[in-house]
Amino acid sequence: MLTSTLLAVTAAAAPLQWSPTVGAIMVVCNILAIAFGKSTIKYPNAEPAVPASNFFGGFGLPAILATTSFGHILGIGVILGLHNLGRI
């Protein structure tokens, strides 16, 4: 019973297709996450360092991974929320 209900709910939802709008939202969310990380991470240049760190705002590898991971989580939430509202 539960399986058939779950299948009915997932089949009724319109699939989300990638578009330039979705990509732009993800880029903006990552930029916001990096800006947030730049102002809140205590040691942004922790080891291991990345090559040409001036291209990454002086971040070390841990800070880059943390901010971009947070940006993707934020972006997924925004994209799915806007999709569920019917905006994208």
Side-chain angles (χ1 to χ4, degrees), residues 4 9 11 22 40 53 73 87:
S4 62
V9 169
V22 171
T40 58
S53 66
I73 292 169
R87 302 289 185 199

Side-chain angles (χ1 to χ4, degrees), residues 7-75:
L7 288 174
V9 169
T10 57
L16 177 62
Q17 297 293 323
W18 187 89
S19 68
T21 304
V22 171
I25 291 170
M26 186 60 76
V27 167
V28 168
C29 287
N30 274 286
I31 289 171
L32 290 174
I34 291 169
F36 180 72
K38 185 76 170 166
S39 65
T40 58
I41 295 177
K42 189 172 184 177
Y43 301 110
N45 55 355
E47 295 291 328
V50 293
S53 66
N54 57 339
F55 289 121
F56 299 104
F59 280 169
L61 185 62
I64 291 172
L65 293 175
T67 55
T68 55
S69 295
F70 175 61
H72 277 76
I73 292 169
L74 184 66

